């Protein structure tokens, strides 16, 4: 029987894509994917530590795996990803979770095959986490689940040190992949039938700033991918507002391949809070940026991330966030309760906001944003759009789903001759808070 693996992924698209590389490496070693953890010979948990509740849930998962290990002592249980870049968490696993055999970090994903060998030959637990990033490893095998949409990392790490955020500590400094490598990967994806790529980086707008020649930037990379690969659709995330250039806006306006969606995390609406967050823009400069984007790209959908209850956030500061949300009218927002992360400057700031206040602010913000999302979605009713067909929807397979350029999830009744991966014209007929309905025009 071939060995089988089961990977559970937490956190952002960076981790999702790392798991695709882990699956690719295991495939090369002869492993196949197990249908459930019970059937697996190797279980990997790819972890996230961006907020405390993400971490707590993880320890629940790790604990639950103990019974599987008792049933099958040959099972290898591994924990990788961002959480184990923190030495305190590695120590905790080492001491308290003895059924975990393998720990490795975000900088040595490529080492998985040799670490598994080491477990077999040494018959002991293997814990190997690099505390800083090495060179970029190109050409690692990748097993992507979706045949038509692909994540493509363009840069690793983050240099921004927003005062609340753990990511720079667990993902290392910014490193950009060479444009030729990115172009080649996307060309191969196009040849295999991929219709849409999402370029990934914690802040794609600082792409290329780490090249000594300083001869590339993100706008230029987008032009290169649009003209050099033939990929029908390009998305990217995330854009830090402080670095979003006019050249990027012009590049988007000039290319129909680049989707009309920008994820532009604002985090807070009060300039005082933004300064304490070390975001390097003000409410006013953010609003001016959005006005410029909307003027040049009128059909753009804007989404954002917002944190409520940052240390020292007063009721007046929070009102400014609500005010900004009402003014900008985002298509959608990911909203978070501030979670202190040990080692970040914000965790040591005075005036931590009480949990009850944070929760109440979050509810208020979500209610306002949901109303705006619904209103924005209703504006689409009657308009024509192009959908990339995903296939039968999970909840109700007689209905199919797809996404339009603005990244809206659209439900429709399928017609006989369409297939997942097709790009088809549709007319929007109805709208809810998180989805649209359409009829196909083909
Ligand atoms: N690089 C991206 C995303 C980073 S993590 C960016 O800059 O936008 C995704 C989101 O998690 C962040 O945008 C932020 O809104 C949220 N986040 C990060 N640290 C957090 C913390 N300590 N507490 C609550 N939310 C946090
Ligand atoms: Fe975290 Fe800020 Fe970097 Fe985003 S830009 S990953 S929020 S430090
Ligand atoms: Fe979480 Fe790491 Fe992403 S901390 S949000 S998985 S970069």
């Amino acid at each position: 029987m071939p060995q089988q693996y089961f990977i559970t992924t937490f956190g952002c698209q960076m981790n999702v894509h790392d798991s695709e590389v882990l699956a690719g490496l295991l495939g090369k070693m002869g492993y196949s994917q197990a249908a459930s953890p019970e059937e697996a010979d190797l279980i990997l948990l790819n972890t996230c530590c961006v907020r405390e509740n993400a971490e707590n849930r993880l320890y629940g998962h790790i604990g639950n795996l103990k019974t599987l290990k008792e049933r099958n002592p040959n099972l290898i249980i591994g924990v990788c990803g961002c959480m184990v870049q923190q030495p305190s968490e590695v120590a905790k696993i080492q001491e308290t979770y003895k059924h975990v055999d393998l720990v490795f970090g975000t900088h040595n994903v490529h080492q998985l095959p040799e670490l598994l060998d080491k477990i077999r030959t040494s018959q002991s637990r293997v814990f190997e986490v690099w505390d800083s990033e090495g060179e970029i490893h190109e050409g690692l095998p990748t097993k992507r689940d979706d045949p038509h949409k692909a994540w493509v990392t363009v840069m690793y790490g983050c240099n921004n040190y927003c005062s609340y955020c753990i990511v720079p500590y667990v993902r290392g400094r910014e490193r950009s992949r060479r444009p030729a490598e990115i172009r080649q990967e996307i060309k191969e994806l196009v040849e295999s039938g991929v219709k849409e790529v999402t370029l990934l980086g914690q802040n794609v707008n600082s792409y290329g700033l780490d090249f000594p020649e300083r001869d590339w930037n993100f706008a230029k990379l987008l032009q290169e991918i649009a003209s050099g690969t033939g990929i029908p659709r390009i998305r990217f995330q995330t854009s830090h507002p402080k670095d979003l250039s006019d050249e990027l806006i012009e590049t988007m306006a000039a290319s129909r391949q680049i989707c009309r969606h920008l994820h532009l995390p604002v985090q807070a609406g009060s300039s005082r809070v933004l300064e304490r967050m070390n975001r390097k823009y003000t409410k006013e400069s953010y609003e001016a940026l959005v006005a410029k984007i909307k003027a040049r790209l009128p059909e753009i959908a804007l989404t954002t991330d917002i944190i409520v209850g940052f240390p020292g956030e007063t009721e007046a500061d929070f009102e400014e966030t609500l005010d900004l949300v009402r003014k900008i009218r985002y298509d959608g927002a990911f909203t978070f309760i501030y979670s202190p992360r040990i080692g970040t400057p914000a965790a040591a700031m005075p005036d931590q906001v009480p949990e009850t206040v944070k929760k109440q602010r979050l509810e208020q913000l979500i209610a306002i944003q949901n109303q705006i999302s619904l209103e924005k979605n209703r504006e689409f009713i009657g308009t024509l759009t192009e959908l990339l067909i995903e296939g039968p929807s999970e909840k109700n397979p007689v209905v199919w789903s797809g996404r339009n350029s603005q990244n809206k999830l659209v439900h429709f009744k399928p017609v006989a001759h369409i297939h997942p991966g097709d790009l088809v014209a549709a007319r929007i007929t109805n709208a809810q808070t998180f989805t649209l309905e359409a009829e196909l025009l083909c």
Side-chain angles (χ1 to χ4, degrees), residues 104-120:
F104 60 98
T106 58
H107 303 311
N108 62 334
V109 164
H110 61 281
Q111 279 195 315
L112 177 63
E114 57 188 279
L115 298 177
L116 287 173
D117 273 350
K118 220 166 163 180
I119 293 179
R120 268 187 217 105

Side-chain angles (χ1 to χ4, degrees), residues 50-51 164-167 201-203 238 240 263 265 267 279 305-307 336-341:
V50 77
R51 282 169 291 274
Y164 49 81
C165 186
I166 193 90
V167 171
Q202 296 299 345
N203 173 18
T238 296
H240 195 307
H263 185 60
Q267 312 298 359
R279 289 291 287 180
D305 292 346
I306 298 171
I307 298 175
F336 306 106
I337 282 183
Y338 167 71
S339 168
R341 305 282 64 208

Side-chain angles (χ1 to χ4, degrees), residues 3 52 138 158 183 201 227 248 268 332 346 355 377 389 391 395 399:
Q3 298 269 300
E52 194 182 2
E138 289 293 351
C158 180
R183 190 181 49 224
S227 64
L248 176 61
E355 265 333 282
N377 277 352
I389 308 279
K395 281 193 202 137
V399 175

Side-chain angles (χ1 to χ4, degrees), residues 146 148-149 388-392 400-403 409 412 420-422:
D146 192 322
H148 309 296
K149 285 160 66 165
L388 176 58
I389 308 279
E390 289 177 355
W400 281 34
S401 63
R403 290 204 183 246
L409 184 60
F412 55 88
D422 288 350

Side-chain angles (χ1 to χ4, degrees), residues 10-15 47-50 82 166-167 170-171 202:
F10 302 84
C12 68
Q13 299 317 331
M14 288 286 168
N15 265 15
T47 63
C48 170
C49 55
V50 77
C82 295
I166 193 90
V167 171
V170 296
R171 286 272 169 184
Q202 296 299 345

Side-chain angles (χ1 to χ4, degrees), residues 222-326:
L222 277 177
Q223 289 160 21
E224 176 75 13
I225 294 170
S227 64
T229 69
I231 185 86
R233 276 188 177 185
I234 307 168
R235 302 185 185 281
F236 53 88
Q237 66 187 44
T238 296
S239 292
H240 195 307
K242 77 178 166 60
D243 298 320
L244 197 146
S245 67
D246 290 354
E247 191 185 352
L248 176 61
I249 300 172
E250 289 309 316
T251 301
M252 291 181 78
S255 169
R256 296 306 306 176
Q257 287 158 274
I258 305 174
C259 289
R260 291 332 194 209
H261 172 221
L262 265 177
H263 185 60
L264 199 60
V266 67
Q267 312 298 359
S270 143
S271 295
R272 197 184 69 88
V273 172
L274 287 169
E275 190 178 354
R276 286 157 55 90
M277 286 179 160
N278 193 29
R279 289 291 287 180
K280 302 195 172 76
Y281 53 84
T282 61
K283 179 188 190 183
E284 290 71 29
S285 67
Y286 184 92
E287 283 176 340
L289 174 65
V290 168
K292 194 159 65 176
I293 293 167
K294 284 185 174 172
R296 195 70 185 90
L297 300 162
E299 68 285 43
I300 197 86
L302 283 178
T303 55
T304 199
D305 292 346
I306 298 171
I307 298 175
V308 299
F310 184 80
E313 183 189 71
T314 62
E315 205 51 45
D317 291 322
F318 176 61
E319 282 299 328
E320 285 201 69
T321 297
L322 297 183
D323 178 55
L324 184 92
V325 164
R326 288 192 194 100

Side-chain angles (χ1 to χ4, degrees), residues 1-7 22-36 39-43 143:
M1 272 291 280
Q3 298 269 300
Q4 297 192 68
Y5 68 84
F6 192 88
I7 305 176
L22 293 169
L25 289 165
L26 291 168
K28 266 229 155 138
M29 292 177 76
Y31 277 82
S32 61
Q33 192 172 358
S36 69
E39 292 160 59
D41 306 282
L42 167 67
I43 295 176
K143 182 183 174 299

